[in-house]
Amino acid sequence: MALEQLSDVVQRCQALPDDSYSSEDHDVFTIAGRSCIEEGHAPQVLSIVLDEKNQNVVGSMGWSLLPPLVQVLLRKDDKHLPQCLAIFNHLLETCRPKELLIGLLELLEHDDADRIAESLHLLLTPLQKVLLRLGGRKASSLGMTLSSVLDQLAKLPVPDTKEQEEDDVFSLGRCCADLARFVGPFAEEARLNQSSGNQPRKSHKTAGGQEEGAEDELRTELLKFCMKTLSQPLLDVQIWDPDTLPLSPLRTFAAEILDILGAVGESLPGLVFHPLLKKKEVPGFLEEEVRYPKNSLACLAHLVFVHHLAADTFPSVFSPIFCLRSNMEHISILLSRTETSRLQKGLELYEKSLVRVEDGSLPADLLEIRTFLTVPQNLVKVMTICPKHDLRTKGLKVFQLSIDKFNTEAKYRFFQYMLRTSNHSGVEGYIIKNIKNQIDAALQPGNGNIWFEGLHLLPLLRKVFSLPDGPETDLLQYLDRVMESLNLLRYLVIRDKVTENQTGIWTELYKIEDKFLKPLRVGVNMSRAHYERELQDTREKKKKNAKEESVLSVSVGGEKLPKMTSESQIQALHSALHTFDMIESVLVRIEELVEVKDGLETAGEPQLLRA
């Protein structure tokens, strides 16, 4: 029945002029033709399609047969597969390119990862053939196709391990390789346009308006494709070095994207250093940001500086500090995110940018640049709240590396800034430990500097020797800061002589006593009394419920502990009391040291610190 209807409509349309077929003719051809293929009549459909008398009809309406043909080609097990493939290929050569393009793009749309991968693998080459048939009118159609393909590619899972990429478990590697082959002819055309003198205006130099000319349109679409690809999937995937994974489809794909950027006339150094080289922004003018998305440029910098892709295109004249300054914008973008892949890339790019810089060479005026302050803030978040332990550890390593690169004045000002803004006891304790190291270095013979001894040091010490909330400070929450502050004070009392007073500690002790040590003693006593009372109450409750193990709730540091057994609560309270004993023990040692040194070196003078 369907075969007869198809034959009838084709014969009827043979006598009609091109493009004069009615909508009814189209409907009958579509329904009957699809039914014939689905019912196994592909050989008969092939005969109709190849008949010379039917070429006008097929050229006008044949694209509507694409859906069942593609279904057969995807299944691969149909007995009429050769005939369906012959019909498919003939339609690609005969039908109008615009209609073919729309039909093929509709067939790309899937949600299942396996179907997406198979459809891309099957249809990218036909799409390429159709686009090439458009000649100089293909740029906008190419842009539409690349956008659709990338939208589908974004639905594929990203390999998390080297083994997953090796086995290509999600087919992302194969799809990226297919996509690179698909774009190849268009990138080569753009390259030839560049080399033949058809130089398009550099888009970052335009003051407004759209580019004109087919070459410029092609270049624009390819540039948009590269930027979108850098943002996804390349910003999400882990690129492995050749030593770890010799054959990496994703690394190869990334290198090909950078090559396409060169083909369309973009300078890779100009893109990487775009944050420093861009012209003054015009209010309300968004072309630069749209054309060069920040996430894409950050990914590009990571590929260049971490994986050394296209490194041979970078002149060696750029100093390490210049590269660091430019990359700080990219690093800030990456570390401001929460996705593991972005944080990993941000840490890697920061580390690679820092290692090339000489220790102690970064001047203090760099701290006037916004990113030199936002990046440490983002690092603090990575070190303290990132759920992945390896990233927290890496973040701490890079944080220390960044401190090492500052000169003494920059370290001083950086420590001041971090103590003022970090709002995290562990980070503050780490900064105080670094301050101690810098003071120790300054007190070595021949190493003196004005920033970590004498008058400049005192304002920094006053920030260190203080309690955020006075005697009511939560000592458990601020334990890291308190202990490092006490360790620093103990070091200064031991290291600095009363008669020399290089650090100024001996003339500052009375202030430290009033603003730090006295409130700390009061705080320890208050906290101990509170926890001893909680411990006593918990023991009494345990006795009352001896026959039935109860689940209680205890308040520690102003917050409820998670519900636990009374025995676990007792252990937690004992631990807190031990902490207060430890703080008090260090306090007593410091007081004893001060008494001894004060008595030995300033005999006859009143003690500067009283127990």
Side-chain angles (χ1 to χ4, degrees):
M1 180 69 176
L3 186 59
E4 293 176 1
Q5 289 179 329
L6 178 64
S7 299
D8 289 344
V9 72
V10 169
Q11 288 178 359
R12 184 169 66 252
C13 290
Q14 285 177 358
L16 299 176
D18 292 351
D19 296 329
S20 63
Y21 313 124
S22 67
S23 59
E24 182 182 354
D25 294 331
H26 278 276
D27 291 342
V28 172
F29 181 91
T30 299
I31 295 171
R34 292 181 178 183
S35 298
C36 287
I37 295 170
E38 292 166 355
E39 293 169 4
H41 301 303
Q44 292 86 341
V45 175
L46 178 60
S47 298
I48 294 172
V49 166
L50 294 179
D51 192 325
E52 189 64 33
K53 298 189 299 292
N54 300 332
Q55 293 314 293
N56 289 340
V57 178
V58 173
S60 178
M61 297 187 283
W63 65 274
S64 63
L65 303 180
L66 289 175
L69 291 172
V70 169
Q71 291 301 317
V72 172
L73 298 180
L74 286 173
R75 287 201 304 269
K76 301 177 184 178
D77 57 355
D78 193 287
K79 65 178 181 179
H80 296 306
L81 179 63
Q83 290 85 358
C84 288
L85 180 59
I87 298 170
F88 184 73
N89 289 332
H90 185 73
L91 296 180
L92 294 180
E93 297 174 358
T94 307
C95 296
R96 289 190 285 259
K98 286 285 187 180
E99 294 168 341
L100 283 171
L101 183 67
I102 294 171
L104 291 171
L105 290 180
E106 288 177 352
L107 295 172
L108 277 181
E109 295 290 332
H110 295 289
D111 292 320
D112 178 71
D114 291 336
R115 291 294 300 274
I116 290 171
E118 289 301 321
S119 295
L120 287 173
H121 185 63
L122 172 66
L123 298 179
L124 278 177
T125 298
L127 280 166
Q128 183 190 73
K129 291 179 179 179
V130 170
L131 287 167
L132 290 173
R133 286 180 57 195
L134 289 171
R137 300 174 289 109
K138 62 179 170 290
S140 60
S141 297
L142 174 63
M144 179 175 64
T145 302
L146 290 172
S147 179
S148 297
V149 171
L150 289 177
D151 287 344
Q152 291 300 108
L153 204 64
K155 298 177 183 179
L156 295 179
V158 172
D160 293 322
T161 65
K162 175 175 71 73
E163 290 73 23
Q164 285 182 339
E165 183 178 348
E166 278 184 312
D167 298 336
D168 199 18
V169 293
F170 306 122
S171 300
L172 182 62
R174 184 179 72 165
C175 289
C176 287
D178 292 338
L179 181 54
R181 283 191 293 270
F182 168 80
V183 179
F186 310 109
E188 187 59 29
E189 181 180 342
R191 194 191 311 274
L192 292 174
N193 290 336
Q194 290 287 114
S195 61
S196 64
N198 293 327
Q199 297 280 348
R201 294 183 302 276
K202 295 296 183 183
S203 56
H204 58 269
K205 294 182 179 180
T206 58
Q210 294 185 347
E211 297 178 346
E212 299 177 355
E215 294 85 0
D216 284 339
E217 290 179 12
L218 178 61
R219 173 190 177 277
T220 299
E221 295 299 339
L222 289 172
L223 177 60
K224 285 163 57 178
F225 161 72
C226 290
M227 290 293 127
K228 190 171 181 179
T229 303
L230 287 168
S231 180
Q232 195 176 36
L234 291 178
L235 193 54
D236 295 324
V237 302
Q238 172 71 43
I239 302 293
W240 301 96
D241 290 326
D243 292 341
T244 304
L245 187 62
L247 297 177
S248 168
L250 296 178
R251 187 178 64 246
T252 301
F253 180 63
E256 288 169 337
I257 293 300
L258 301 196
D259 184 64
I260 295 172
L261 285 172
V264 299
E266 290 292 341
S267 162
L268 294 187
L271 291 174
V272 170
F273 300 137
H274 189 261
L276 293 185
L277 301 179
K278 64 181 179 180
K279 291 187 174 183
K280 182 179 180 180
E281 295 183 3
V282 179
F285 184 64
L286 301 177
E287 183 180 355
E288 287 292 290
E289 173 60 22
V290 172
R291 192 174 295 273
Y292 302 116
K294 292 180 179 180
N295 284 333
S296 303
L297 297 183
C299 180
L300 175 62
H302 181 267
L303 292 173
V304 171
F305 283 94
V306 176
H307 297 289
H308 308 296
L309 297 184
D312 55 340
T313 65
F314 274 71
S316 58
V317 297
F318 299 117
S319 71
I321 293 181
F322 177 83
C323 294
L324 173 65
R325 280 193 58 189
S326 181
N327 282 340
M328 287 298 279
E329 186 73 34
H330 306 310
I331 295 162
S332 180
I333 293 293
L334 294 170
L335 292 183
S336 66
R337 304 297 294 266
T338 57
E339 300 93 330
T340 298
S341 61
R342 314 289 172 96
L343 296 177
Q344 179 77 33
K345 285 178 169 57
L347 292 173
E348 290 173 349
L349 180 57
Y350 198 15
E351 183 179 35
K352 289 292 185 181
S353 301
L354 287 168
V355 293
R356 300 176 63 238
V357 176
E358 184 179 352
D359 284 356
S361 65
L362 295 181
D365 57 9
L366 287 179
L367 294 174
E368 298 175 7
I369 300 173
R370 177 185 57 84
T371 51
F372 278 84
L373 298 179
T374 57
V375 166
Q377 290 175 334
N378 291 331
L379 262 183
V380 166
K381 294 178 183 178
V382 174
M383 293 188 294
T384 56
I385 63 176
C386 178
K388 291 184 71 69
H389 178 266
D390 58 333
L391 289 184
R392 295 198 304 272
T393 303
K394 178 87 167 180
L396 182 60
K397 176 185 174 184
V398 175
F399 185 68
Q400 182 61 55
L401 182 62
S402 69
I403 292 173
D404 294 340
K405 301 303 176 181
F406 287 124
N407 65 19
T408 52
E409 181 186 358
K411 286 186 175 77
Y412 177 89
R413 300 197 183 284
F414 181 73
F415 295 156
Q416 281 187 317
Y417 172 76
M418 293 306 297
L419 287 176
R420 189 173 67 251
T421 62
S422 67
N423 297 317
H424 188 278
S425 174
V427 175
E428 292 167 357
Y430 193 80
I431 292 296
I432 293 169
K433 188 174 183 179
N434 267 273
I435 292 173
K436 174 178 171 291
N437 293 338
Q438 292 303 312
I439 295 172
D440 183 63
L443 294 179
Q444 301 301 321
N447 285 353
N449 65 72
I450 64 172
W451 297 103
F452 289 96
E453 57 183 349
L455 293 177
H456 275 109
L457 179 59
L458 293 181
L460 191 59
L461 293 181
R462 288 168 192 151
K463 288 183 179 291
V464 170
F465 298 127
S466 64
L467 291 176
D469 300 311
E472 297 180 355
T473 298
D474 186 336
L475 295 180
L476 295 182
Q477 180 181 345
Y478 285 94
L479 180 62
D480 291 334
R481 176 185 174 127
V482 169
M483 290 307 297
E484 287 298 341
S485 298
L486 290 173
N487 287 335
L488 174 57
L489 181 57
R490 182 171 179 269
Y491 163 81
L492 291 173
V493 170
I494 294 173
R495 181 68 177 79
D496 199 3
K497 295 180 180 180
V498 178
T499 53
E500 295 181 2
N501 197 26
Q502 289 176 271
T503 63
I505 190 65
W506 293 102
T507 53
E508 191 75 10
L509 269 175
Y510 74 95
K511 293 182 180 178
I512 297 173
E513 164 72 8
D514 290 338
K515 295 185 177 181
F516 180 61
L517 296 178
K518 282 183 179 179
L520 182 57
R521 287 193 207 97
V522 175
V524 168
N525 291 333
M526 290 172 56
S527 299
R528 182 187 285 115
H530 171 73
Y531 279 78
E532 285 176 345
R533 185 171 61 252
E534 289 284 356
L535 181 60
Q536 183 180 357
D537 292 346
T538 303
R539 283 171 171 167
E540 290 177 357
K541 290 178 183 178
K542 183 182 179 183
K543 290 179 182 179
K544 291 179 181 178
N545 298 277
K547 294 182 180 181
E548 181 179 350
E549 183 62 30
S550 62
V551 177
L552 304 175
S553 176
V554 173
S555 176
V556 175
E559 295 184 5
K560 293 281 186 181
L561 285 176
K563 287 187 177 182
M564 58 179 76
T565 64
S566 56
E567 190 60 41
S568 298
Q569 291 178 8
I570 290 172
Q571 291 177 3
L573 293 168
H574 272 301
S575 176
L577 290 170
H578 173 73
T579 298
F580 304 138
D581 291 339
M582 179 177 63
I583 295 174
E584 188 173 53
S585 174
V586 178
L587 269 171
V588 170
R589 289 198 199 104
I590 292 173
E591 292 165 353
E592 291 173 348
L593 282 169
V594 171
E595 288 181 4
V596 170
K597 291 201 70 172
D598 196 17
L600 289 176
E601 300 187 35
T602 61
E605 296 181 8
Q607 294 180 358
L608 295 171
L609 188 65
R610 298 184 304 277

